[in-house]
């Protein structure tokens, strides 16, 4: 079956290339951002007509969370309008869409495991536009899987793990947020889950949650990164109230993965185990 990946230049796109090559999947294409411009529905129509995909994976997103508070228009164009354009192209060309969303659609103000049926109440522009993208897709396309994920990292692109490793080599100590709790997600694991869903042949469309198993804070995540990488640096706990950012983050955004595990039989690794795999590739 033919698979088309949009937003292929980001870390998840790179991970999909990696995992598909390891699995020997050759019928998957990664067009450039220019060829697969999600803001140009006519270009998408041309691309879909040429590639004739059965599945489309949308990795494209505006993810600069703080900058989004000021760049509202472009953030919305990418996260809402772009997602809608892809869904319309999928509907026209009879393709199934796998769309990547975020835990930031939740308010995250109480320590409660979040299921797919919990109300989405985003507190920042990034989360709001990602939610608008989810809604836009569901309005025009039945055949879609929306995967909400969290705290994504890998050996590719810019992410928390690579930032901590860099800062740890430059400084003796640093402060990290201690009162925001979630689940780190290795993008390689997410890429594998996406391909597993495609290979399952399932038509159980809808919203699913995916992150690695387990729960941690950014503070303990950082300390674990330094522990695994044998980096000597003092990590100081910092409260959110002491580190003001442009965008509000969820204090607790741990997602329930029961639905994706039972529907597709997916085995999800524990976050520290996956982190060890990633760091071994980086150091």
């Amino acid at each position: 079956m033919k698979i088309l990946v949009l937003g292929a230049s980001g870390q998840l796109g790179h991970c999909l290339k990696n995992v598909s090559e390891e699995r020997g999947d050759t019928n998957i294409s990664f067009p450039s951002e220019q060829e697969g411009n999600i803001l140009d529905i006519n270009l998408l129509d041309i691309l879909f007509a040429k590639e004739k995909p059965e599945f489309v994976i949308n990795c494209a997103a505006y993810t600069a969370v703080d900058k989004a508070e000021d760049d509202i228009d472009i953030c919305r164009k990418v996260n809402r309008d772009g997602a809608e354009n892809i869904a319309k192209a999928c509907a026209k060309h009879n393709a199934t869409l796998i769309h990547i969303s975020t835990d930031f659609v939740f308010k995250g103000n109480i320590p409660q495991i979040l299921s797919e049926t919990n109300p989405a109440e985003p507190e920042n522009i990034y989360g709001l536009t990602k939610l608008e993208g989810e809604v836009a897709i569901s309005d025009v396309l039945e055949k879609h899987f929306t995967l909400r994920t969290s705290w994504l990292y890998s050996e590719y692109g810019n992410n928390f793990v690579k930032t901590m490793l860099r800062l740890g080599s430059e400084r003796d100590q640093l402060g990290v947020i201690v009162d925001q709790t979630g689940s780190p997600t290795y993008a390689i694991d997410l890429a594998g889950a996406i391909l597993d869903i495609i290979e399952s042949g399932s038509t159980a469309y809808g919203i699913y949650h995916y992150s690695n198993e387990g729960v941690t804070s950014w503070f303990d995540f950082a300390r674990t990164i330094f522990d695994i990488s044998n980096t000597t640096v003092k990590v100081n706990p910092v409260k959110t109230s002491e580190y003001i950012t442009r965008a509000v983050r969820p204090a607790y955004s741990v997602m329930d993965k029961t639905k994706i595990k039972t529907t597709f039989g997916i085995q999800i690794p524990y976050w520290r185990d996956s982190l060890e795999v990633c760091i071994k590739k980086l150091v």
Side-chain angles (χ1 to χ4, degrees):
M1 74 185 60
K2 185 62 182 288
I3 303 169
L4 179 67
V5 179
L6 298 173
S9 64
Q11 67 170 331
L12 182 55
H14 279 94
C15 290
L16 282 163
K17 287 180 184 178
N18 183 309
V19 175
S20 62
E21 287 172 359
E22 288 182 352
R23 294 188 179 195
D25 296 334
T26 58
N27 210 10
I28 180 169
S29 60
F30 302 86
S32 67
E33 291 185 12
Q34 182 178 5
E35 187 181 11
N37 185 350
I38 67 172
L39 301 184
D40 190 330
I41 196 165
N42 293 322
L43 271 180
L44 286 179
D45 189 41
I46 294 169
L47 178 64
F48 278 50
K50 181 182 77 171
E51 296 286 346
K52 297 179 174 56
E54 294 176 58
F55 283 87
V56 176
I57 305 171
N58 179 29
C59 304
Y62 184 111
T63 58
V65 178
D66 289 315
K67 194 176 178 183
E69 296 296 308
D70 298 308
D71 293 345
I72 298 174
D73 289 344
I74 185 60
C75 184
R76 179 163 279 127
K77 283 180 181 178
V78 174
N79 292 343
R80 182 193 68 187
D81 300 346
E84 183 177 32
N85 288 342
I86 297 168
K88 287 179 177 177
C90 285
K92 180 177 179 179
H93 294 271
N94 194 30
T96 299
L97 174 61
I98 297 183
H99 175 71
I100 308 304
S101 191
T102 174
D103 61 323
F104 276 34
V105 300
F106 294 110
K107 190 172 186 177
N109 61 334
I110 55 175
Q112 171 184 316
I113 305 297
L114 297 160
S115 76
E116 291 82 356
T117 58
N118 278 107
E121 302 175 281
E123 292 226 290
N124 58 49
I125 294 298
Y126 166 67
L128 175 62
T129 58
K130 290 297 289 183
L131 178 60
E132 290 172 346
E134 291 184 11
V135 173
I137 289 169
S138 64
D139 284 346
V140 301
L141 181 68
E142 177 190 0
K143 296 167 56 177
H144 76 275
F145 300 96
T146 292
L147 306 187
R148 293 172 177 157
T149 192
S150 63
W151 297 24
L152 203 65
Y153 71 90
S154 70
E155 54 268 39
Y156 306 103
N158 298 315
N159 56 69
F160 185 78
V161 172
K162 293 177 71 176
T163 297
M164 288 299 104
L165 289 173
R166 175 178 58 80
L167 292 177
S169 69
E170 298 171 351
R171 304 181 187 180
D172 295 326
Q173 61 180 306
L174 53 106
V176 181
I177 298 294
V178 71
D179 55 353
Q180 292 176 17
T181 303
S183 300
T185 306
Y186 186 25
I188 287 286
D189 293 338
L190 175 58
I194 290 169
L195 296 178
D196 286 344
I197 290 171
I198 292 174
E199 292 168 6
S200 74
S202 173
T203 57
Y205 306 123
I207 296 172
Y208 292 85
H209 289 171
Y210 184 93
S211 66
N212 282 126
E213 296 284 21
V215 178
T216 192
S217 66
W218 290 112
F219 171 75
D220 285 321
F221 189 15
R223 292 206 306 174
T224 306
I225 291 167
F226 297 133
D227 179 51
I228 293 171
S229 62
N230 295 313
T231 302
T232 302
V233 57
K234 182 181 180 182
V235 184
N236 300 311
V238 178
K239 293 182 180 179
T240 300
S241 59
E242 299 170 325
Y243 186 77
I244 306 301
T245 57
R246 187 75 177 84
V248 176
R249 266 78 167 171
Y252 192 93
S253 59
V254 179
M255 297 186 294
D256 184 358
K257 278 88 67 175
T258 301
K259 182 180 177 184
I260 198 168
K261 289 188 288 187
T262 57
T263 302
F264 305 107
I266 290 174
Q267 300 294 315
I268 302 179
Y270 181 62
W271 72 269
R272 182 179 174 123
D273 294 337
S274 290
L275 180 62
E276 289 180 354
V277 172
C278 180
I279 289 178
K280 285 179 181 178
K281 297 177 182 178
L282 288 169
V283 299

